[in-house]
mmCIF file of all heavy atoms in Angstrom:
data_model
loop_
_atom_site.group_PDB
_atom_site.id
_atom_site.type_symbol
_atom_site.label_atom_id
_atom_site.label_comp_id
_atom_site.label_asym_id
_atom_site.label_seq_id
_atom_site.Cartn_x
_atom_site.Cartn_y
_atom_site.Cartn_z
ATOM 1 N N TRP A 1 112.596 113.263 101.124
ATOM 2 C CA TRP A 1 112.887 112.336 100.020
ATOM 3 C C TRP A 1 113.561 111.084 100.560
ATOM 4 O O TRP A 1 114.650 111.173 101.140
ATOM 5 C CB TRP A 1 113.810 112.992 99.000
ATOM 6 C CG TRP A 1 113.269 114.221 98.325
ATOM 7 C CD1 TRP A 1 112.867 115.370 98.932
ATOM 8 C CD2 TRP A 1 113.109 114.413 96.923
ATOM 9 N NE1 TRP A 1 112.456 116.282 97.991
ATOM 10 C CE2 TRP A 1 112.594 115.723 96.747
ATOM 11 C CE3 TRP A 1 113.361 113.634 95.800
ATOM 12 C CZ2 TRP A 1 112.321 116.261 95.497
ATOM 13 C CZ3 TRP A 1 113.091 114.156 94.542
ATOM 14 C CH2 TRP A 1 112.574 115.447 94.400
ATOM 15 N N PRO A 2 112.963 109.892 100.391
ATOM 16 C CA PRO A 2 113.619 108.665 100.848
ATOM 17 C C PRO A 2 114.485 108.044 99.751
ATOM 18 O O PRO A 2 114.039 107.819 98.629
ATOM 19 C CB PRO A 2 112.438 107.745 101.189
ATOM 20 C CG PRO A 2 111.352 108.183 100.257
ATOM 21 C CD PRO A 2 111.566 109.643 99.975
ATOM 22 N N ILE A 3 115.750 107.821 100.070
ATOM 23 C CA ILE A 3 116.631 107.032 99.206
ATOM 24 C C ILE A 3 116.529 105.599 99.722
ATOM 25 O O ILE A 3 117.060 105.270 100.780
ATOM 26 C CB ILE A 3 118.081 107.536 99.271
ATOM 27 C CG1 ILE A 3 118.172 108.976 98.761
ATOM 28 C CG2 ILE A 3 119.012 106.627 98.474
ATOM 29 C CD1 ILE A 3 119.564 109.601 98.889
ATOM 30 N N VAL A 4 115.811 104.754 98.986
ATOM 31 C CA VAL A 4 115.458 103.425 99.482
ATOM 32 C C VAL A 4 116.402 102.376 98.887
ATOM 33 O O VAL A 4 116.442 102.181 97.669
ATOM 34 C CB VAL A 4 113.999 103.076 99.145
ATOM 35 C CG1 VAL A 4 113.625 101.731 99.772
ATOM 36 C CG2 VAL A 4 113.057 104.167 99.623
ATOM 37 N N GLU A 5 117.143 101.715 99.770
ATOM 38 C CA GLU A 5 118.033 100.652 99.324
ATOM 39 C C GLU A 5 117.213 99.496 98.729
ATOM 40 O O GLU A 5 116.026 99.351 98.970
ATOM 41 C CB GLU A 5 118.879 100.141 100.498
ATOM 42 C CG GLU A 5 120.287 100.685 100.528
ATOM 43 C CD GLU A 5 121.095 100.316 99.302
ATOM 44 O OE1 GLU A 5 120.847 99.269 98.690
ATOM 45 O OE2 GLU A 5 121.995 101.095 98.949
ATOM 46 N N LYS A 6 117.905 98.693 97.938
ATOM 47 C CA LYS A 6 117.265 97.532 97.357
ATOM 48 C C LYS A 6 117.440 96.321 98.280
ATOM 49 O O LYS A 6 118.422 96.305 99.037
ATOM 50 C CB LYS A 6 117.813 97.251 95.959
ATOM 51 C CG LYS A 6 119.314 96.973 95.896
ATOM 52 C CD LYS A 6 120.123 98.220 95.810
ATOM 53 C CE LYS A 6 121.606 97.958 96.009
ATOM 54 N NZ LYS A 6 122.363 99.172 96.162
ATOM 55 N N PRO A 7 116.520 95.362 98.226
ATOM 56 C CA PRO A 7 115.266 95.412 97.482
ATOM 57 C C PRO A 7 114.306 96.457 98.040
ATOM 58 O O PRO A 7 114.269 96.706 99.237
ATOM 59 C CB PRO A 7 114.694 94.005 97.624
ATOM 60 C CG PRO A 7 115.386 93.422 98.807
ATOM 61 C CD PRO A 7 116.728 94.069 98.897
ATOM 62 N N PHE A 8 113.545 97.075 97.152
ATOM 63 C CA PHE A 8 112.686 98.210 97.448
ATOM 64 C C PHE A 8 111.712 97.917 98.586
ATOM 65 O O PHE A 8 111.582 98.664 99.547
ATOM 66 C CB PHE A 8 111.956 98.574 96.159
ATOM 67 C CG PHE A 8 111.030 99.748 96.243
ATOM 68 C CD1 PHE A 8 111.471 100.974 96.689
ATOM 69 C CD2 PHE A 8 109.703 99.619 95.835
ATOM 70 C CE1 PHE A 8 110.620 102.068 96.741
ATOM 71 C CE2 PHE A 8 108.853 100.697 95.871
ATOM 72 C CZ PHE A 8 109.308 101.924 96.331
ATOM 73 N N THR A 9 111.000 96.813 98.464
ATOM 74 C CA THR A 9 110.080 96.324 99.506
ATOM 75 C C THR A 9 109.827 94.861 99.195
ATOM 76 O O THR A 9 110.625 94.235 98.506
ATOM 77 C CB THR A 9 108.782 97.155 99.557
ATOM 78 O OG1 THR A 9 107.985 96.727 100.674
ATOM 79 C CG2 THR A 9 107.977 97.073 98.282
ATOM 80 N N GLY A 10 108.735 94.289 99.699
ATOM 81 C CA GLY A 10 108.473 92.888 99.416
ATOM 82 C C GLY A 10 107.439 92.307 100.340
ATOM 83 O O GLY A 10 106.634 93.025 100.948
ATOM 84 N N PHE A 11 107.472 90.989 100.451
ATOM 85 C CA PHE A 11 106.581 90.268 101.360
ATOM 86 C C PHE A 11 107.438 89.642 102.452
ATOM 87 O O PHE A 11 108.414 88.942 102.167
ATOM 88 C CB PHE A 11 105.809 89.175 100.624
ATOM 89 C CG PHE A 11 105.136 88.197 101.547
ATOM 90 C CD1 PHE A 11 104.052 88.585 102.330
ATOM 91 C CD2 PHE A 11 105.606 86.892 101.661
ATOM 92 C CE1 PHE A 11 103.449 87.683 103.200
ATOM 93 C CE2 PHE A 11 105.006 85.993 102.520
ATOM 94 C CZ PHE A 11 103.923 86.394 103.294
ATOM 95 N N PHE A 12 107.041 89.858 103.725
ATOM 96 C CA PHE A 12 107.895 89.472 104.846
ATOM 97 C C PHE A 12 107.168 88.594 105.858
ATOM 98 O O PHE A 12 107.368 88.707 107.061
ATOM 99 C CB PHE A 12 108.457 90.727 105.507
ATOM 100 C CG PHE A 12 109.177 91.606 104.525
ATOM 101 C CD1 PHE A 12 108.545 92.707 103.980
ATOM 102 C CD2 PHE A 12 110.459 91.299 104.117
ATOM 103 C CE1 PHE A 12 109.195 93.502 103.043
ATOM 104 C CE2 PHE A 12 111.121 92.084 103.175
ATOM 105 C CZ PHE A 12 110.485 93.189 102.645
ATOM 106 N N GLY A 13 106.346 87.708 105.342
ATOM 107 C CA GLY A 13 105.718 86.726 106.214
ATOM 108 C C GLY A 13 104.343 87.131 106.689
ATOM 109 O O GLY A 13 103.829 88.212 106.397
ATOM 110 N N ASP A 14 103.749 86.232 107.463
ATOM 111 C CA ASP A 14 102.371 86.423 107.930
ATOM 112 C C ASP A 14 102.307 86.939 109.367
ATOM 113 O O ASP A 14 101.236 86.973 109.982
ATOM 114 C CB ASP A 14 101.592 85.116 107.817
ATOM 115 C CG ASP A 14 102.235 83.968 108.615
ATOM 116 O OD1 ASP A 14 103.182 84.236 109.395
ATOM 117 O OD2 ASP A 14 101.783 82.824 108.456
ATOM 118 N N GLY A 15 103.450 87.332 109.906
ATOM 119 C CA GLY A 15 103.480 87.858 111.268
ATOM 120 C C GLY A 15 103.806 86.839 112.334
ATOM 121 O O GLY A 15 104.076 87.206 113.484
ATOM 122 N N SER A 16 103.808 85.566 111.974
ATOM 123 C CA SER A 16 104.102 84.533 112.967
ATOM 124 C C SER A 16 105.604 84.447 113.209
ATOM 125 O O SER A 16 106.415 84.641 112.298
ATOM 126 C CB SER A 16 103.573 83.174 112.499
ATOM 127 O OG SER A 16 104.164 82.787 111.277
ATOM 128 N N GLU A 17 105.968 84.153 114.448
ATOM 129 C CA GLU A 17 107.372 84.090 114.823
ATOM 130 C C GLU A 17 108.109 82.976 114.087
ATOM 131 O O GLU A 17 109.282 83.109 113.724
ATOM 132 C CB GLU A 17 107.502 83.884 116.334
ATOM 133 C CG GLU A 17 108.925 83.893 116.851
ATOM 134 C CD GLU A 17 109.619 85.235 116.673
ATOM 135 O OE1 GLU A 17 108.916 86.275 116.660
ATOM 136 O OE2 GLU A 17 110.864 85.242 116.534
ATOM 137 N N ASP A 18 107.428 81.864 113.831
ATOM 138 C CA ASP A 18 108.058 80.708 113.195
ATOM 139 C C ASP A 18 107.745 80.630 111.702
ATOM 140 O O ASP A 18 107.760 79.547 111.109
ATOM 141 C CB ASP A 18 107.629 79.419 113.884
ATOM 142 C CG ASP A 18 106.108 79.224 113.845
ATOM 143 O OD1 ASP A 18 105.386 80.172 113.455
ATOM 144 O OD2 ASP A 18 105.658 78.115 114.210
ATOM 145 N N PHE A 19 107.484 81.761 111.055
ATOM 146 C CA PHE A 19 107.134 81.772 109.633
ATOM 147 C C PHE A 19 108.217 81.090 108.805
ATOM 148 O O PHE A 19 109.409 81.324 108.992
ATOM 149 C CB PHE A 19 106.952 83.210 109.143
ATOM 150 C CG PHE A 19 106.670 83.301 107.665
ATOM 151 C CD1 PHE A 19 105.407 83.028 107.176
ATOM 152 C CD2 PHE A 19 107.679 83.648 106.772
ATOM 153 C CE1 PHE A 19 105.143 83.091 105.815
ATOM 154 C CE2 PHE A 19 107.422 83.727 105.413
ATOM 155 C CZ PHE A 19 106.154 83.449 104.935
ATOM 156 N N ASP A 20 107.769 80.236 107.875
ATOM 157 C CA ASP A 20 108.662 79.553 106.943
ATOM 158 C C ASP A 20 108.189 79.861 105.527
ATOM 159 O O ASP A 20 107.104 79.447 105.119
ATOM 160 C CB ASP A 20 108.658 78.046 107.198
ATOM 161 C CG ASP A 20 109.760 77.317 106.443
ATOM 162 O OD1 ASP A 20 109.970 77.628 105.249
ATOM 163 O OD2 ASP A 20 110.424 76.449 107.037
ATOM 164 N N GLY A 21 109.009 80.607 104.791
ATOM 165 C CA GLY A 21 108.607 81.061 103.464
ATOM 166 C C GLY A 21 108.526 79.974 102.425
ATOM 167 O O GLY A 21 107.880 80.161 101.388
ATOM 168 N N ARG A 22 109.130 78.841 102.672
ATOM 169 C CA ARG A 22 109.176 77.807 101.637
ATOM 170 C C ARG A 22 107.799 77.246 101.307
ATOM 171 O O ARG A 22 107.517 76.937 100.147
ATOM 172 C CB ARG A 22 110.120 76.684 102.074
ATOM 173 C CG ARG A 22 111.586 77.069 102.016
ATOM 174 C CD ARG A 22 112.481 76.056 102.681
ATOM 175 N NE ARG A 22 112.285 76.048 104.135
ATOM 176 C CZ ARG A 22 113.069 75.381 104.974
ATOM 177 N NH1 ARG A 22 114.076 74.659 104.510
ATOM 178 N NH2 ARG A 22 112.843 75.425 106.278
ATOM 179 N N GLY A 23 106.951 77.111 102.289
ATOM 180 C CA GLY A 23 105.649 76.508 102.029
ATOM 181 C C GLY A 23 104.513 77.503 101.892
ATOM 182 O O GLY A 23 103.362 77.101 101.693
ATOM 183 N N TYR A 24 104.811 78.773 102.003
ATOM 184 C CA TYR A 24 103.754 79.786 101.954
ATOM 185 C C TYR A 24 103.313 79.994 100.500
ATOM 186 O O TYR A 24 104.150 80.071 99.590
ATOM 187 C CB TYR A 24 104.262 81.096 102.541
ATOM 188 C CG TYR A 24 103.164 82.112 102.780
ATOM 189 C CD1 TYR A 24 102.396 82.057 103.928
ATOM 190 C CD2 TYR A 24 102.908 83.108 101.851
ATOM 191 C CE1 TYR A 24 101.392 82.976 104.159
ATOM 192 C CE2 TYR A 24 101.907 84.042 102.069
ATOM 193 C CZ TYR A 24 101.150 83.974 103.226
ATOM 194 O OH TYR A 24 100.146 84.892 103.434
ATOM 195 N N PRO A 25 101.990 80.114 100.236
ATOM 196 C CA PRO A 25 101.510 80.303 98.860
ATOM 197 C C PRO A 25 102.099 81.566 98.236
ATOM 198 O O PRO A 25 101.938 82.668 98.757
ATOM 199 C CB PRO A 25 99.991 80.413 99.027
ATOM 200 C CG PRO A 25 99.693 79.728 100.319
ATOM 201 C CD PRO A 25 100.870 80.000 101.197
ATOM 202 N N LYS A 26 102.765 81.423 97.097
ATOM 203 C CA LYS A 26 103.489 82.543 96.523
ATOM 204 C C LYS A 26 102.577 83.569 95.852
ATOM 205 O O LYS A 26 102.984 84.729 95.688
ATOM 206 C CB LYS A 26 104.543 82.028 95.543
ATOM 207 C CG LYS A 26 105.604 81.148 96.218
ATOM 208 C CD LYS A 26 106.246 81.860 97.403
ATOM 209 C CE LYS A 26 107.376 81.064 98.043
ATOM 210 N NZ LYS A 26 106.900 79.886 98.786
ATOM 211 N N GLN A 27 101.360 83.181 95.476
ATOM 212 C CA GLN A 27 100.435 84.191 94.960
ATOM 213 C C GLN A 27 100.069 85.174 96.066
ATOM 214 O O GLN A 27 99.959 86.388 95.835
ATOM 215 C CB GLN A 27 99.161 83.540 94.395
ATOM 216 C CG GLN A 27 98.188 84.537 93.760
ATOM 217 C CD GLN A 27 98.772 85.293 92.588
ATOM 218 O OE1 GLN A 27 99.311 84.698 91.658
ATOM 219 N NE2 GLN A 27 98.661 86.618 92.614
ATOM 220 N N LYS A 28 99.916 84.662 97.289
ATOM 221 C CA LYS A 28 99.648 85.552 98.418
ATOM 222 C C LYS A 28 100.848 86.456 98.685
ATOM 223 O O LYS A 28 100.691 87.629 99.040
ATOM 224 C CB LYS A 28 99.326 84.739 99.672
ATOM 225 C CG LYS A 28 97.964 84.052 99.647
ATOM 226 C CD LYS A 28 97.689 83.383 100.990
ATOM 227 C CE LYS A 28 96.301 82.764 101.020
ATOM 228 N NZ LYS A 28 96.022 82.126 102.346
ATOM 229 N N ALA A 29 102.043 85.909 98.517
ATOM 230 C CA ALA A 29 103.255 86.719 98.694
ATOM 231 C C ALA A 29 103.316 87.824 97.645
ATOM 232 O O ALA A 29 103.644 88.981 97.954
ATOM 233 C CB ALA A 29 104.495 85.834 98.610
ATOM 234 N N LEU A 30 103.007 87.490 96.393
ATOM 235 C CA LEU A 30 102.980 88.491 95.318
ATOM 236 C C LEU A 30 101.957 89.576 95.612
ATOM 237 O O LEU A 30 102.237 90.778 95.485
ATOM 238 C CB LEU A 30 102.669 87.813 93.980
ATOM 239 C CG LEU A 30 102.389 88.733 92.790
ATOM 240 C CD1 LEU A 30 103.583 89.631 92.484
ATOM 241 C CD2 LEU A 30 102.001 87.908 91.555
ATOM 242 N N ASP A 31 100.752 89.169 96.019
ATOM 243 C CA ASP A 31 99.698 90.154 96.313
ATOM 244 C C ASP A 31 100.127 91.088 97.443
ATOM 245 O O ASP A 31 99.899 92.311 97.377
ATOM 246 C CB ASP A 31 98.406 89.429 96.697
ATOM 247 C CG ASP A 31 97.792 88.655 95.538
ATOM 248 O OD1 ASP A 31 98.152 88.929 94.385
ATOM 249 O OD2 ASP A 31 96.954 87.771 95.803
ATOM 250 N N ALA A 32 100.752 90.530 98.470
ATOM 251 C CA ALA A 32 101.184 91.346 99.605
ATOM 252 C C ALA A 32 102.305 92.299 99.200
ATOM 253 O O ALA A 32 102.328 93.470 99.604
ATOM 254 C CB ALA A 32 101.646 90.451 100.751
ATOM 255 N N ALA A 33 103.252 91.808 98.395
ATOM 256 C CA ALA A 33 104.353 92.656 97.940
ATOM 257 C C ALA A 33 103.829 93.807 97.092
ATOM 258 O O ALA A 33 104.274 94.964 97.234
ATOM 259 C CB ALA A 33 105.366 91.828 97.149
ATOM 260 N N MET A 34 102.882 93.519 96.212
ATOM 261 C CA MET A 34 102.316 94.583 95.370
ATOM 262 C C MET A 34 101.490 95.561 96.201
ATOM 263 O O MET A 34 101.436 96.760 95.894
ATOM 264 C CB MET A 34 101.467 93.972 94.253
ATOM 265 C CG MET A 34 102.270 93.148 93.248
ATOM 266 S SD MET A 34 103.719 94.029 92.603
ATOM 267 C CE MET A 34 102.928 95.398 91.757
ATOM 268 N N GLY A 35 100.862 95.064 97.274
ATOM 269 C CA GLY A 35 100.165 95.971 98.177
ATOM 270 C C GLY A 35 101.123 96.956 98.815
ATOM 271 O O GLY A 35 100.837 98.146 98.947
ATOM 272 N N SER A 36 102.304 96.465 99.213
ATOM 273 C CA SER A 36 103.327 97.330 99.799
ATOM 274 C C SER A 36 103.805 98.356 98.781
ATOM 275 O O SER A 36 103.951 99.551 99.090
ATOM 276 C CB SER A 36 104.499 96.487 100.295
ATOM 277 O OG SER A 36 105.519 97.313 100.831
ATOM 278 N N VAL A 37 104.063 97.910 97.561
ATOM 279 C CA VAL A 37 104.486 98.828 96.491
ATOM 280 C C VAL A 37 103.452 99.927 96.289
ATOM 281 O O VAL A 37 103.793 101.124 96.213
ATOM 282 C CB VAL A 37 104.706 98.055 95.175
ATOM 283 C CG1 VAL A 37 104.830 99.024 93.998
ATOM 284 C CG2 VAL A 37 105.931 97.164 95.256
ATOM 285 N N ARG A 38 102.192 99.540 96.232
ATOM 286 C CA ARG A 38 101.133 100.541 95.965
ATOM 287 C C ARG A 38 101.018 101.539 97.104
ATOM 288 O O ARG A 38 100.765 102.735 96.873
ATOM 289 C CB ARG A 38 99.807 99.828 95.714
ATOM 290 C CG ARG A 38 99.809 99.009 94.421
ATOM 291 C CD ARG A 38 98.451 98.402 94.111
ATOM 292 N NE ARG A 38 98.532 97.568 92.926
ATOM 293 C CZ ARG A 38 98.512 96.236 92.933
ATOM 294 N NH1 ARG A 38 98.383 95.583 94.099
ATOM 295 N NH2 ARG A 38 98.596 95.544 91.815
ATOM 296 N N ARG A 39 101.207 101.091 98.330
ATOM 297 C CA ARG A 39 101.139 102.028 99.465
ATOM 298 C C ARG A 39 102.264 103.065 99.386
ATOM 299 O O ARG A 39 102.055 104.249 99.684
ATOM 300 C CB ARG A 39 101.176 101.258 100.783
ATOM 301 C CG ARG A 39 99.894 100.498 101.086
ATOM 302 C CD ARG A 39 99.876 99.947 102.502
ATOM 303 N NE ARG A 39 100.851 98.886 102.707
ATOM 304 C CZ ARG A 39 100.614 97.592 102.470
ATOM 305 N NH1 ARG A 39 99.439 97.198 101.995
ATOM 306 N NH2 ARG A 39 101.548 96.696 102.723
#
């Protein structure tokens, strides 16, 4: 049983070392976060 601290999961970038979340398309972030939730 995992006791998962908050935030539960989310979107954590595209894998690039210099990722900057400010300019990243947020619909893609939402889709990725929901993919993590579903997994």
Side-chain angles (χ1 to χ4, degrees):
W1 298 59
I3 298 176
V4 185
E5 259 299 331
K6 60 275 169 190
F8 181 55
T9 186
F11 166 69
F12 305 99
D14 58 9
S16 60
E17 184 65 28
D18 59 350
F19 177 78
D20 191 317
R22 287 169 291 189
Y24 191 83
K26 298 306 184 289
Q27 184 61 52
K28 288 185 177 181
L30 171 60
D31 293 342
M34 294 310 297
S36 178
V37 167
R38 293 185 184 106
R39 288 190 292 272

